[in-house]
Amino acid sequence: MDFYEQSQEGRSIRHHLERNVFLVLFNHEIRSGFRNPLQRGWIAAILFLGSLLTLGSKNLEAISALLVLFIFFGSIVTLVLSSFSISGEINRIADSLLSKSVKRWEYVLSKTVSQAVIVAVVYLLGVLLQVGILWRLNFLPELLDYGNLFFFIMLVGLVLIFFSSAGVMFSSLFSRTVLSLLSGFIVWFLLVFLFLATGWNFMYSPVEIFEHFLPILEGSWDVEFWKIILFYAGSSCVFSLVSLLWFYQRDL
Amino acid sequence: MQSVIETQSLTKIFNQKTIAVNDLYLTVPENSIYGFLGPNGAGKTTTIKLMLGLIRPSAGSVRMFGAPVRMDSSDVRRRIGYLPTQPGFPDAMTPITYLDFIGKVFGIPRQVRIPRITELIRSVDLLPLSSSEIKRFSTGEITRIAMAACLINDPELLILDEPTLGLDPIGRASTVKLITELGNREGKTVFVSSHILADIERFCTHVGIINSGKLIFNGTVTEVKKLIRTNTVELQVEGKTESFLSELEAIPHITNVQSLRHAIRISIDPQYHSETLLDIFKILIERNLELVSLNLGSETLEEAFLDLLEEEKSHGFLRAISRRA
């Protein structure tokens, strides 16, 4: 039976989407990502703490407090979830899928993109919901530059995507999830915890970005932002490329 | 006969230390049920993974349906159904959602996929469990759902890695029956690895025996038995055997006759094995002797397999030296 030549009639968008292996895998990853108990717990925590902060402080501080949560804890949750993405499936589902008509780039790219999308959706939903409520209730300052606020939100989003891509890369590099988790934590330690604990200044650290929350909103932080954007966006692209190239030649 | 799988000098060395597959030349003919035999750690699963492009060979090549297999040969794999030893499933999936997902991966259109899933669930007898989560399934049920998944694309070639491992006698029997039906009735080529010789003997037409990464036999089941057939026949007869022994010695191609306590051991020239046996039976009938038992040497595949492994162990070193010379 040749399945692939059948059903010539009524080819809908859905039909084409269902025949694209990358989109099928992406769709599957998104669904299982949101079913993950850790992800669900994190979403519940964000919604609970976000509403507490919003109703508690009733001003801009609520947003900055929620962003702190995302920078310090959201990055860890992202790292943990993405570190499991590939190494957790080797000798299990990965073998099963790659023995079928799935190409390696489709598999890795679906992991990288879906992890980034999940992180971005959870983050943006949480933060934008809070901003929306504060704005609706007139709790935000009248002179607030919303352009700068959304620029800051985007910067933190890039930081989270950076950690998500790093996690997928380590997950692709190592067969053992423990090693990919450990590598992710080392990156987190060097980029976040180290600067938080020592107070050292490093333009590319998320701590430094967060400490300049008000100057960014006021537009007074004198720094070349393109370098920061390039660092996070470029690193994410490099991580994705490394995971793709490494996975392409590795034994399963 | 065209070959579906063909490997040439296939070699896999892990971490430059362990030789898992060593210079393997293997041919699987079309429409055959090929049993891939070997003890644990012989290199069966590594060979299968090399065939599917899941691991990269250190040397040599694999061709399937005449096309070379590489890490990204998804077109070749589209024509294959693979059942791993311990199949893994995504969390929180039921047989229906899992088969639907695999069907989508193969790009099977919805109007074909849905009836196909129903048909497969029914044929592997999982209808009552079709809405239960797979993670709660027993080993037998997991094997059945994995078997359904490897049949969803209606493959021309089935690669089954230890399909009867961990199954109870009923599960084993139904798996054996399914494989036999797929091979005989559906005309599919089946490549099945196992170390359970009784299963292989029951349904395979061809057999390959691997030991320490080296293929020590590749041919039909009959050929493997013939290869190690002993030239000795043991008879146990009732009646007056004195003259019978002298008459046996007179048969031209019998080289030796030994009278044991309960039996007679006869050595035959292997070239005239069948004719000589016929002569022996003629004398038995003429003398009106009752044949109590007859042992024709290695009758089972198990004995053949063990003999070949033993031979490989004792001659492997000599063969290596002679090849180098």
Side-chain angles (χ1 to χ4, degrees):
Chain A
M1 193 192 302
D2 191 352
F3 298 128
Y4 313 102
E5 294 309 316
Q6 292 186 20
S7 69
Q8 294 293 321
E9 288 169 25
R11 289 195 166 177
S12 57
I13 295 171
R14 184 180 177 170
H15 170 91
H16 289 286
L17 290 182
E18 283 190 351
R19 286 195 64 177
N20 184 305
V21 178
F22 168 73
L23 290 176
V24 169
L25 293 177
F26 173 74
N27 184 25
H28 167 74
E29 287 302 326
I30 294 284
R31 278 164 187 256
S32 36
F34 282 110
R35 270 200 296 259
N36 187 303
L38 179 60
Q39 186 72 264
R40 285 187 174 181
W42 172 237
I43 293 170
I46 283 300
L47 290 176
F48 176 70
L49 293 170
S51 46
L52 270 190
L53 290 166
T54 309
L55 299 171
S57 65
K58 293 178 183 174
N59 56 32
L60 208 57
E61 275 179 27
I63 299 175
S64 75
L66 191 67
L67 290 173
V68 167
L69 273 178
F70 273 108
I71 288 177
F72 298 113
F73 298 108
S75 54
I76 292 176
V77 172
T78 303
L79 266 175
V80 171
L81 289 170
S82 54
S83 296
F84 276 93
S85 60
I86 295 176
S87 56
E89 291 190 351
I90 301 287
N91 288 325
R92 291 177 64 239
I93 310 149
D95 291 32
S96 206
L97 288 174
L98 291 163
S99 68
K100 296 176 171 60
S101 56
V102 176
K103 290 190 172 91
R104 292 201 174 203
W105 71 263
E106 290 168 331
Y107 179 76
V108 177
L109 206 63
S110 72
K111 294 282 180 194
T112 312
V113 177
S114 62
Q115 288 295 331
V117 167
I118 292 169
V119 166
V121 166
V122 172
Y123 167 69
L124 288 177
L125 268 179
V127 175
L128 293 182
L129 195 70
Q130 191 192 39
V131 172
I133 293 168
L134 287 170
W135 172 77
R136 190 79 184 86
L137 299 173
N138 292 322
F139 290 154
L140 292 178
E142 277 181 26
L143 293 172
L144 177 70
D145 187 331
Y146 283 94
N148 286 346
L149 176 67
F150 288 119
F151 175 72
F152 189 86
I153 289 172
M154 184 211 70
L155 271 184
V156 177
L158 271 180
V159 170
L160 292 174
I161 290 173
F162 167 89
F163 282 110
S164 135
S165 323
V168 175
M169 180 185 73
F170 292 128
S171 185
S172 161
L173 293 179
F174 303 109
S175 298
R176 293 171 66 189
T177 309
V178 180
L179 291 177
S180 54
L181 266 174
L182 197 69
S183 313
F185 281 130
I186 290 170
V187 170
W188 183 85
F189 180 84
L190 292 176
L191 213 59
V192 180
F193 189 79
L194 189 69
F195 295 99
L196 184 74
T198 58
W200 292 341
N201 293 328
F202 180 53
M203 188 174 81
Y204 301 108
S205 166
V207 178
E208 188 80 359
I209 295 171
F210 176 72
E211 280 175 355
H212 287 88
F213 177 60
L214 285 176
I216 289 174
L217 289 189
E218 290 161 3
S220 61
W221 191 26
D222 188 22
V223 72
E224 289 172 297
F225 282 108
W226 68 269
K227 284 186 180 172
I228 299 175
I229 294 170
L230 188 71
F231 173 76
Y232 284 108
S235 302
S236 302
C237 291
V238 170
F239 292 158
S240 306
L241 195 69
V242 170
S243 44
L244 199 67
L245 292 174
W246 181 263
F247 196 75
Y248 227 86
Q249 52 82 50
R250 74 171 286 180
D251 289 341
L252 292 180
Chain B
M1 198 184 277
Q2 223 182 347
S3 57
V4 175
I5 306 173
E6 204 179 338
T7 70
Q8 286 200 326
S9 191
L10 192 65
T11 306
K12 181 67 192 176
I13 304 168
F14 286 112
N15 305 322
Q16 296 184 323
K17 279 183 206 160
T18 319
I19 304 172
V21 176
N22 184 6
D23 198 26
L24 192 89
Y25 286 84
L26 186 142
T27 314
V28 178
E30 203 176 359
N31 297 328
S32 62
I33 305 181
Y34 190 98
F36 196 46
L37 280 172
N40 288 335
K44 298 188 294 289
T45 302
T46 307
T47 308
I48 288 175
K49 285 191 168 188
L50 284 164
M51 285 173 180
L52 291 163
L54 292 176
I55 53 177
R56 190 187 289 266
S58 307
S61 62
V62 181
R63 292 182 82 86
M64 290 227 191
F65 308 105
V69 176
R70 296 194 181 91
M71 302 286 249
D72 252 3
S73 301
S74 59
D75 286 342
V76 173
R77 290 199 291 257
R78 198 180 278 276
R79 300 165 71 180
I80 301 169
Y82 167 54
L83 176 79
T85 319
Q86 286 168 319
F89 300 95
D91 291 333
M93 273 203 164
T94 67
I96 294 175
T97 52
Y98 179 66
L99 292 176
D100 191 50
F101 169 55
I102 298 298
K104 282 179 189 168
V105 163
F106 276 113
I108 303 170
R110 190 181 163 81
Q111 53 268 54
V112 182
R113 197 171 68 236
I114 304 300
R116 179 86 178 143
I117 291 169
T118 320
E119 182 195 332
L120 282 169
I121 286 183
R122 198 173 292 137
S123 65
V124 295
D125 203 17
L126 280 177
L127 209 55
L129 295 168
S130 56
S131 306
S132 314
E133 279 192 19
I134 299 174
K135 66 180 174 191
R136 297 203 177 93
F137 281 15
S138 67
T139 315
E141 288 158 353
I142 282 176
T143 306
R144 276 188 277 160
I145 187 67
M147 187 67 102
C150 81
L151 289 169
I152 197 156
N153 55 329
D154 195 21
E156 295 161 57
L157 166 68
L158 278 164
I159 297 179
L160 314 172
D161 194 1
E162 307 264 13
T164 54
L165 194 77
L167 298 183
D168 59 19
I170 300 165
R172 218 173 108 185
S174 71
T175 308
V176 167
K177 193 179 156 201
L178 183 65
I179 295 169
T180 316
E181 272 182 26
L182 287 167
N184 296 342
R185 252 185 24 204
E186 307 258 328
K188 293 184 190 301
T189 308
V190 185
F191 181 93
V192 52
S193 95
S194 183
H195 61 262
I196 303 167
L197 293 139
D199 292 346
I200 296 285
E201 192 168 22
R202 217 180 297 169
F203 56 72
C204 286
T205 55
H206 292 70
V207 67
I209 299 176
I210 187 171
N211 186 35
S212 306
K214 191 123 189 100
L215 194 73
I216 54 175
F217 181 81
N218 184 35
T220 62
V221 173
T222 323
E223 278 169 355
V224 71
K225 285 186 185 176
K226 228 156 114 184
L227 186 79
I228 46 74
R229 182 177 62 188
T230 56
N231 303 322
T232 317
V233 175
E234 273 187 18
L235 298 176
Q236 199 180 347
V237 289
E238 241 180 43
K240 289 179 181 172
T241 54
E242 298 83 22
S243 58
F244 176 57
L245 288 175
S246 53
E247 277 182 78
L248 284 178
E249 279 165 354
I251 297 175
H253 305 297
I254 287 183
T255 51
N256 188 27
V257 178
Q258 261 183 294
S259 179
L260 306 172
R261 198 169 174 184
H262 296 294
I264 302 163
R265 185 175 291 159
I266 308 161
S267 300
I268 306 168
D269 184 344
Q271 269 191 303
Y272 305 96
H273 199 264
S274 306
E275 298 95 302
T276 313
L277 278 177
L278 203 65
D279 291 339
I280 296 169
F281 287 128
K282 271 182 195 166
I283 300 170
L284 280 171
I285 295 162
E286 280 167 15
R287 295 277 158 238
N288 203 22
L289 293 169
E290 193 185 341
L291 182 66
V292 178
S293 73
L294 170 73
N295 189 354
L296 284 172
S298 295
E299 284 178 316
T300 62
L301 188 61
E302 186 162 351
E303 284 174 53
F305 173 69
L306 292 172
D307 281 356
L308 273 167
L309 289 191
E310 197 55 45
E311 194 191 334
E312 170 68 14
K313 215 186 254 179
S314 55
H315 291 101
F317 181 66
L318 283 173
R319 206 170 17 245
I321 288 178
S322 62
R323 186 181 284 184
R324 201 175 290 170

